[in-house]
Amino acid sequence: MKQYFNISDLQMSKEINNMHDILVELLEKKGISYSVLKSVLIPQKKHHEIILVFDTLQIEDSEYGVACYNAVIKLLDKSESHSFLCGDYISKINTSWKNANDLLYQSLSEHINLSQIEYKSSEQLFFIYINNVSNNFIGRLKMGLQNFQGFVGIADVTLSSTLKIYISSILTNGFIQYHDIIL
């Protein structure tokens, strides 16, 4: 955005700080302290960041995102806190990329085995990103989603990678779980 709109560093900093102030104010109106949520919003070194990968061609429900979220929500532990992002693995962001679909396939296949699906296009894949994930939660997700039609697997994106950088630009806000509160 900074480059596209030709915004100076100072202007960008002011905008980020303004957005932060708005967030803090909105949370306070709901009786939630930002300092309490900070650990949910900022990834923790002792936890993982993961992407749940779903093949939408295998999901009968036309609202596949809702179906995927419903399957995941059942596995949440009310003592934990996470931030969720979601979206389709789109390759049409930059139409000048002639081989964007191949690049996205290669990037994802570095993290997860895609041989179990008939890969046609990145657009058939739906992602749910979750931060601050413990090993116990990963185990719960693997067990709980193993029979969910369309579940492909879990990609660990804790460390920086091409996949992590790309998904950070395409996924949208889902929700925040703070113990038994959903925002």
Side-chain angles (χ1 to χ4, degrees):
M1 285 181 56
K2 182 180 178 294
Q3 290 174 333
Y4 183 80
F5 291 109
N6 197 23
I7 299 171
S8 72
D9 289 340
L10 180 61
Q11 288 172 302
M12 194 70 191
S13 177
K14 285 181 180 179
E15 186 59 32
I16 290 169
N17 288 327
N18 184 45
M19 291 170 66
H20 177 266
D21 293 343
I22 291 169
L23 172 66
V24 170
E25 184 179 313
L26 287 171
L27 289 171
E28 285 176 0
K29 285 181 182 178
K30 295 182 178 282
I32 300 167
S33 166
Y34 172 77
S35 61
V36 171
L37 278 185
K38 193 173 181 180
S39 66
V40 179
L41 300 172
I42 300 170
Q44 304 297 308
K45 289 182 181 182
K46 62 184 178 180
H47 289 110
H48 300 278
E49 295 174 62
I50 62 169
I51 303 170
L52 303 177
V53 180
F54 299 90
D55 180 359
T56 63
L57 298 179
Q58 295 180 39
I59 301 172
E60 292 181 16
D61 192 335
S62 62
E63 294 184 12
Y64 55 82
V66 173
C68 294
Y69 261 128
N70 285 338
V72 172
I73 287 171
K74 294 174 186 173
L75 303 172
L76 298 180
D77 183 324
K78 292 181 181 180
S79 69
E80 298 174 343
S81 299
H82 309 282
S83 177
F84 292 78
L85 305 175
C86 68
D88 295 310
Y89 194 35
I90 54 176
S91 65
K92 303 246 183 330
I93 282 182
N94 187 337
T95 55
S96 67
W97 293 359
K98 294 185 192 285
N99 60 349
N101 196 43
D102 294 335
L103 290 170
L104 294 176
Y105 178 86
Q106 180 183 2
S107 178
L108 183 58
S109 64
E110 292 171 4
H111 295 269
I112 196 167
N113 180 1
L114 295 174
S115 65
Q116 65 192 22
I117 64 170
E118 184 180 336
Y119 184 85
K120 297 178 181 177
S121 166
S122 66
E123 282 84 6
Q124 79 190 67
L125 300 176
F126 179 77
F127 288 165
I128 297 177
Y129 162 92
I130 312 171
N131 78 341
N132 297 322
V133 177
S134 66
N135 288 329
N136 288 340
F137 188 28
I138 291 173
R140 226 173 34 251
L141 288 166
K142 284 180 182 176
M143 290 293 294
L145 294 173
Q146 69 183 351
N147 294 323
F148 181 79
Q149 192 68 29
F151 177 64
V152 176
I154 299 173
D156 189 326
V157 291
T158 304
L159 303 176
S160 182
S161 65
T162 303
L163 177 64
K164 183 176 180 175
I165 292 166
Y166 187 71
I167 63 157
S168 71
S169 69
I170 63 167
L171 299 184
T172 61
N173 294 326
F175 63 92
I176 295 172
Q177 174 203 2
Y178 179 73
H179 300 293
D180 61 346
I181 298 172
I182 301 290
L183 302 171

